[in-house]
Amino acid sequence: MTKTRIQNLNIRYYTPSPPNPILNLIHMDRGSSLDDDTSVHLQINELRKLSETCGSNTIFEPQSSCEARECNAESVPSAPVLRAPEKKLTLFALRLSIFEKSATGLGTLGFIWATVVLLGGFAITLDKTDFWFITIILLIEGTRIFSRSHELEWQHQATWSITDAGISSFRALRFSSHILIKAVKQTFNPLSLIRKPSHNTREVTQVDHLHVGRWNHSRTPTRTWISSDVPLLPYGKWVFLSRNISKVLYWLQLLSATACVVLSSTRLVNHNYGEVQKGDSDKRNRQSALNIFYAVALAEALLFLTEKAYWEWKVIYCKLLEEVNKECELGPSGMVSIKRFFYDAYSRCVNGSIFDGLKMDMVTFAIDLLASNSPDEQLIGARILRQFAISARYSDDTLQKIGVNLSVVERLVEMLNWKDPQEEEIRRSAAEILSKLAGKRQNCLRVAGIPGAMESISSLLQTNRSLGDGADEIGEKNLILDHANYSFWTFNHLGLLILKKLACDHDNCGKIGNTRGLLPKIIDFTHAGEKLLRDKNVAPSQILTVKRSLQLVQLLASTTGATGKHLRKEISEVVFTISNIRDILRHGEKHPALQKLSIEILTNLALEEEARERIGGTGGVLKDLFTIFLNQGMLENQNQVRRSAGEALAMLALESRANCHRILRLQVLERLIAALEFPMLRVTAARILRNLCTYRGSDCFYLLKGVIAAAATVLKAIMSEENKLQEVMVGLAAQVFKHMTSNESSIMFERAGIKEEELAKALVQILEKYRHPSAKVPRIRRFTIELAIWMMHDNVKNVYIFKDLGMEKELEGALETTAELESFNIFSGSVGLSRHTTTIHSLVETALNLLKDQ
């Protein structure tokens, strides 16, 4: 790759196109390992691998705590250890400090030698030439040492303003001599200000205006001075601005060192210190003393010039700062951070031990800046941490350092409340860092545990629903578009992303639900009208908003235990929840991922009886679910959406006579029976039919008479399938045969080509196979015993068949292994819900009594 050149302050290097935060967020959304898409999409080849007898875990079977809540938190494999790029800067600072301290030491030695030995011992005997040479060298060196001790301070101060730090980089020093001359002219000739500036001047001054874009605004203190902009004198303000003093001192040192080299060399070459007469003991050591002084002065000046040459070579020609900035992936504005980090490291090496700077790193440096009260320092710290947090190479180490420092996390959470437009980038950076931090499992509780964290995250979400005129109405939702100077949608995305990652933890879900006003905000973002869903040119960011909000609601609704029960109640009571989901079901055929998430929300909400009735009573929801479930025109990769719709319908029909009536009025019975032949749908179709038969009420008995047409298909499945499909078919058979007379059942056995003896044998084999309850098929023994009881009631001959097959022994064994696992229709994690009215123990005793009585 061609290395980017910024020779002569090429301004194009510093003027990148403004970043699009929405596209960055979409990239973040797609890039995380298990973040979003894996919970929505299923590849076609994976769908083909699914057996019709085994599907994904659902609420119809218990799940362990790990299975029940697959967290979307990132689990990035450990990357190889990479050398920190800033080590190059700390090593460079160490080497420079060696030159600097050596030169300072020689300078001090020369100063002491001159004052004590020469001027103190030979002041009277020195020639006039040597006296003035020594005096000039001492003045020059004293001035240089003094200016050197303060140059670093001035340079450091010059970088405290974000508007010019880094922009006026080391390379600007090339032009400072020209600028200095022009500034002096301007001091005495104000009219020169109106002249056209030179090319070099334009290059330096234009750079000062590069960060005025919306993403580089920083808050300027109104009650205090910015140190780099302080005018030290009322006249010649350009020269005497504190940020320009360092350049003056820089050139002053170079001139001083050069003059010292010239003067010392001249005297050493001429070697003319005056004649010493014989017997003059006062002058006999004068020549050696002068040689030592001039040699020390020359060595000290040469060391300093060597340091400056090394500095220029590494910075200007080797482009060390740009190289480190590129490796740190900080972008064009990162030169600010790199320059300040280097100055800080160099200051430590010069002012303390030369090894002090080696202890610095960019992350700790940024953390320190983040805690500052200066807006510029906060912005620089936030920029560094944000870039390192989202970098694939440095994120693990960065997030680990941030996560273990509670004060930093608290500071980031606090920054979420900063709504001043001039602090937008700081707030956005803090939100992005927290979104990455929350993606680590160990940091979820730490972030949510900070007092006021949920309220701060909630402040990122802007829905702006107006207040109604009275208690009998609700205000309308007003869409907040991005302002010219503020990106509200960016913060909406980040807020939803943080909450979604935090919701991976059960305890955090409770905190989200208990945060005042947060759930209605989240629900508002699930709204997607027909125009949005069917628009081919819809902005990806709008779909992303709906997707993230649905994912968050799905996580909250799937929470287990008392917390989950409370959350499902709260979510279903928000009047817009179900209607928003209905719009997605009805108009979202182009967005199957959104439909699947919406259906999963309905399925989880239906765990609660009140919500189940509320969903069924919302106009069109059941019809839209059946439209999706029975849609033969859907693509193969959308079959998972159809299966999810079937599970939702089975849940809505569970223990709900009203919903069963509504489903039967849709006249979908024949199509449900036909769905039993479709491999991807037969499990869910059988569940729906069984629940309709079980909970339809006596007044709908004849409406379900047509279900007997499914008997032949059900019998064949029992004989040929296993696992989950066999379980639901046995359960359906136990209900279907209740709608038949003995003659009708005999006809069905003949039509299926199966004898009752064969079915009885299959049932006994099921009990032999499942001598203990199975978490994968928790109801198979119950359904098997129910079907066996019906067969013995239907035909006395079946009692003897079961006796001969050893059914009594299997039932007695089952009596000793019954468990709570077999007593529920559905499960929330490992907690059973919807208990069966008849216990498994009672069913076993009924079957045994039938066998013994006969």
Side-chain angles (χ1 to χ4, degrees):
M1 180 182 294
T2 304
K3 199 167 185 178
T4 306
R5 296 187 178 275
I6 52 173
Q7 192 76 4
N8 296 328
L9 281 178
N10 188 339
I11 296 177
R12 287 176 296 179
Y13 179 84
Y14 291 101
T15 54
S17 58
N20 188 331
I22 298 296
L23 293 180
N24 291 341
L25 291 171
I26 295 174
H27 178 71
M28 287 171 59
D29 186 66
R30 293 175 179 171
S32 54
S33 61
L34 292 175
D35 189 31
D36 286 337
D37 293 339
T38 52
S39 62
V40 178
H41 299 296
L42 195 62
Q43 300 299 326
I44 297 176
N45 58 347
E46 293 176 346
L47 285 171
R48 289 173 177 168
K49 294 177 182 178
L50 287 173
S51 169
E52 56 194 278
T53 59
C54 52
S56 59
N57 291 335
T58 69
I59 57 177
F60 296 100
E61 62 189 53
Q63 302 164 43
S64 67
S65 58
C66 295
E67 293 173 336
R69 197 165 191 81
E70 279 192 21
C71 185
N72 289 334
E74 300 169 11
S75 55
V76 182
S78 58
V81 178
L82 297 172
R83 181 180 178 182
E86 63 266 27
K87 285 185 176 180
K88 297 179 182 179
L89 292 181
T90 54
L91 180 61
F92 179 46
L94 169 69
R95 292 170 177 170
L96 284 176
S97 67
I98 293 174
F99 280 113
E100 177 63 28
K101 289 199 170 187
S102 299
T104 302
L106 287 175
T108 304
L109 176 62
F111 189 86
I112 294 172
W113 186 268
T115 55
V116 175
V117 176
L118 294 178
L119 296 181
F122 300 101
I124 300 175
T125 62
L126 285 175
D127 287 346
K128 185 177 181 180
T129 303
D130 285 319
F131 175 80
W132 284 111
F133 265 65
I134 292 171
T135 302
I136 293 171
I137 289 175
L138 284 179
L139 289 174
I140 289 174
E141 284 303 294
T143 303
R144 194 192 65 76
I145 292 174
F146 172 79
S147 64
R148 184 57 181 160
S149 64
H150 291 282
E151 183 209 6
L152 200 58
E153 178 184 350
W154 287 104
Q155 287 178 334
H156 225 159
Q157 290 295 329
T159 64
W160 286 161
S161 173
I162 196 71
T163 56
D164 80 308
I167 300 169
S168 51
S169 66
F170 293 100
R171 199 166 279 100
L173 294 176
R174 289 185 171 188
F175 312 111
S176 57
S177 58
H178 301 288
I179 297 171
L180 180 61
I181 294 171
K182 290 183 179 295
V184 173
K185 290 180 179 179
Q186 290 171 7
T187 304
F188 299 101
N189 186 12
L191 294 178
S192 63
L193 289 169
I194 62 176
R195 297 176 185 173
K196 185 176 180 181
S198 67
H199 174 69
N200 291 337
T201 306
R202 284 198 306 272
E203 287 182 327
V204 175
T205 56
Q206 283 180 336
V207 179
D208 290 338
H209 304 287
L210 289 174
H211 289 282
V212 297
R214 62 185 282 193
W215 293 111
N216 293 296
H217 278 188
S218 62
R219 184 180 61 178
T220 302
T222 57
R223 306 185 69 89
T224 59
W225 281 97
I226 298 175
S227 59
S228 60
D229 291 333
V230 176
L232 300 182
L233 292 176
Y235 302 103
K237 293 183 178 180
W238 190 97
V239 178
F240 297 106
L241 276 179
S242 59
R243 63 186 174 199
N244 296 319
I245 294 295
S246 62
K247 299 174 185 176
V248 176
L249 295 178
Y250 175 86
W251 285 104
L252 182 60
Q253 289 178 74
L254 286 180
L255 292 174
S256 299
T258 304
C260 184
V261 169
V262 172
L263 293 175
S264 300
S265 301
T266 301
R267 296 305 294 159
L268 286 172
V269 170
N270 292 337
H271 209 69
N272 182 16
Y273 306 131
E275 295 182 359
V276 179
Q277 298 178 358
K278 291 182 179 182
D280 191 353
S281 59
D282 293 336
K283 298 181 180 180
R284 65 174 180 267
N285 295 324
R286 185 181 64 181
Q287 181 175 349
S288 300
L290 288 171
N291 283 334
I292 292 173
F293 170 73
Y294 289 130
V296 170
L298 178 61
E300 186 266 342
L302 288 176
L303 265 178
F304 173 76
L305 291 176
T306 303
E307 176 194 352
K308 287 299 182 183
Y310 179 57
W311 177 303
E312 294 291 327
W313 179 68
K314 292 291 287 186
V315 171
I316 304 301
Y317 297 101
C318 295
K319 297 184 175 66
L320 178 63
L321 299 181
E322 287 81 359
E323 179 185 347
V324 173
N325 183 55
K326 182 179 179 181
E327 291 183 15
C328 288
E329 304 172 0
L330 294 176
S333 63
M335 287 300 296
V336 179
S337 312
I338 296 299
K339 183 177 180 181
R340 290 183 59 173
F341 175 82
F342 170 72
Y343 274 137
D344 206 13
Y346 187 40
S347 295
R348 293 192 185 186
C349 291
V350 171
N351 297 327
S353 168
I354 59 174
F355 301 105
D356 285 351
L358 298 179
K359 302 173 184 177
M360 290 184 59
D361 65 85
M362 287 295 288
V363 176
T364 306
F365 174 70
I367 289 174
D368 292 339
L369 292 179
L370 201 68
S372 168
N373 292 324
S374 166
D376 290 341
E377 294 181 18
Q378 292 164 357
L379 179 55
I380 291 177
R383 281 176 173 173
I384 296 173
L385 290 181
R386 172 194 169 274
Q387 188 57 44
F388 275 42
I390 65 176
S391 170
R393 296 198 298 170
Y394 310 120
S395 62
D396 286 345
D397 179 64
T398 303
L399 295 175
Q400 182 181 10
K401 286 187 176 181
I402 296 174
V404 298
N405 193 330
L406 189 59
S407 62
V408 179
V409 182
E410 290 177 347
R411 182 65 162 171
L412 291 170
V413 170
E414 176 195 346
M415 288 176 170
L416 299 183
N417 296 303
W418 295 2
K419 298 183 179 181
D420 190 327
Q422 291 184 331
E423 297 171 333
E424 178 185 7
E425 187 177 358
I426 298 178
R427 188 188 189 203
R428 179 171 61 91
S429 297
E432 290 188 32
I433 295 166
L434 284 174
S435 71
K436 300 298 290 185
L437 195 64
K440 301 292 182 180
R441 291 178 185 269
Q442 65 269 27
N443 294 323
C444 274
L445 287 174
R446 193 170 292 137
V447 173
I450 295 174
M454 290 302 173
E455 289 78 5
S456 298
I457 298 170
S458 177
S459 70
L460 296 173
L461 306 179
Q462 296 290 332
T463 56
N464 198 28
R465 183 176 292 279
S466 62
L467 297 176
D469 295 332
D472 59 343
E473 63 180 71
I474 297 178
E476 293 184 0
K477 175 186 173 184
N478 299 319
L479 184 65
I480 298 181
L481 299 175
D482 285 349
H483 190 268
N485 295 318
Y486 210 80
S487 296
F488 291 102
W489 275 105
T490 303
F491 292 105
N492 288 337
H493 285 293
L494 287 169
L496 290 171
L497 180 60
I498 294 171
L499 289 172
K500 181 172 72 83
K501 292 184 176 182
L502 291 179
C504 291
D505 185 87
H506 180 278
D507 293 336
N508 291 342
C509 289
K511 293 178 182 179
I512 293 173
N514 292 330
T515 302
R516 183 179 178 182
L518 182 52
L519 271 180
K521 275 187 178 182
I522 297 169
I523 299 300
D524 276 341
F525 284 108
T526 63
H527 174 68
E530 180 180 2
K531 182 179 180 181
L532 173 67
L533 292 170
R534 291 185 173 173
D535 186 1
K536 295 181 179 179
N537 300 318
V538 63
S541 60
Q542 292 181 280
I543 298 300
L544 178 62
T545 302
V546 180
K547 176 184 175 183
R548 280 191 177 158
S549 58
L550 289 173
Q551 287 175 324
L552 177 54
V553 176
Q554 192 272 337
L555 285 171
L556 297 176
S558 63
T559 306
T560 59
T563 302
K565 187 177 183 69
H566 172 73
L567 281 171
R568 288 188 286 272
K569 180 177 182 295
E570 293 289 325
I571 292 171
S572 62
E573 286 180 350
V574 177
V575 295
F576 300 105
T577 303
I578 302 173
S579 58
N580 286 353
I581 290 175
R582 178 185 58 190
D583 291 341
I584 296 174
L585 298 180
R586 186 169 294 174
H587 308 299
E589 61 273 1
K590 293 182 179 178
H591 305 281
L594 301 185
Q595 287 187 325
K596 186 174 185 291
L597 285 168
S598 301
I599 294 167
E600 288 173 351
I601 293 171
L602 292 180
T603 304
N604 286 302
L605 293 179
L607 290 171
E608 309 303 324
E609 181 179 355
E610 186 178 347
R612 201 179 304 150
E613 299 301 326
R614 188 176 284 118
I615 293 169
T618 302
V621 172
L622 291 172
K623 182 178 179 181
D624 292 331
L625 286 172
F626 270 111
T627 300
I628 295 173
F629 179 64
L630 300 173
N631 185 1
Q632 297 290 342
M634 294 186 75
L635 299 176
E636 184 179 358
N637 63 340
Q638 297 178 3
N639 282 335
Q640 282 297 310
V641 182
R642 299 177 66 185
R643 289 183 59 173
S644 297
E647 290 181 5
L649 288 166
M651 271 301 306
L652 293 171
L654 181 68
E655 295 183 338
S656 175
R657 179 178 297 183
N659 284 342
C660 289
H661 289 186
R662 295 182 182 109
I663 291 173
L664 290 173
R665 284 200 297 268
L666 294 176
Q667 299 180 352
V668 293
L669 188 60
E670 291 184 4
R671 299 177 68 186
L672 281 173
I673 294 172
L676 294 174
E677 304 290 344
F678 192 75
M680 290 294 295
L681 305 179
R682 55 200 313 191
V683 172
T684 48
R687 284 189 178 132
I688 297 170
L689 288 170
R690 183 186 182 279
N691 288 343
L692 287 175
C693 294
T694 305
Y695 306 108
R696 80 282 190 254
S698 58
D699 52 338
C700 292
F701 181 85
Y702 291 101
L703 291 176
L704 277 167
K705 189 68 175 176
V707 78
I708 62 176
T713 302
V714 171
L715 288 173
K716 292 177 181 178
I718 293 172
M719 301 302 295
S720 60
E721 303 297 342
E722 56 184 10
N723 298 328
K724 191 176 295 185
L725 180 55
Q726 189 180 50
E727 178 195 44
V728 296
M729 289 301 182
V730 172
L732 178 57
Q735 298 299 323
V736 168
F737 285 125
K738 292 179 181 179
H739 292 77
M740 301 183 193
T741 63
S742 296
N743 290 333
E744 288 175 336
S745 63
S746 299
I747 294 172
M748 284 298 170
F749 274 104
E750 291 179 5
R751 183 178 298 176
I754 298 172
K755 296 180 180 180
E756 293 187 41
E757 293 84 353
E758 294 174 342
L759 178 60
K761 183 179 180 181
L763 296 181
V764 173
Q765 289 175 345
I766 290 174
L767 293 179
E768 289 177 353
K769 180 178 180 180
Y770 298 100
R771 295 186 183 275
H772 298 276
S774 170
K776 290 297 182 183
V777 282
R779 293 165 295 273
I780 193 167
R781 299 203 304 177
R782 167 184 289 276
F783 293 159
T784 300
I785 295 170
E786 286 179 352
L787 183 55
I789 291 172
W790 174 85
M791 291 180 67
M792 288 188 282
H793 277 303
D794 183 64
N795 193 338
V796 178
K797 184 176 66 173
N798 291 332
V799 176
Y800 299 100
I801 295 173
F802 279 120
K803 277 188 176 183
D804 294 340
L805 292 172
M807 173 63 88
E808 189 171 357
K809 176 184 175 183
E810 296 301 329
L811 289 174
E812 289 174 350
L815 199 61
E816 299 297 325
T817 58
T818 58
E820 277 287 279
L821 177 64
E822 302 174 286
S823 301
F824 300 96
N825 282 299
I826 53 177
F827 300 88
S828 176
S830 57
V831 178
L833 304 175
S834 180
R835 183 182 290 272
H836 289 284
T837 55
T838 305
T839 65
I840 181 70
H841 194 277
S842 177
L843 285 174
V844 173
E845 288 184 340
T846 300
L848 284 173
N849 289 335
L850 285 173
L851 289 172
K852 293 175 181 178
D853 290 346
Q854 294 299 330

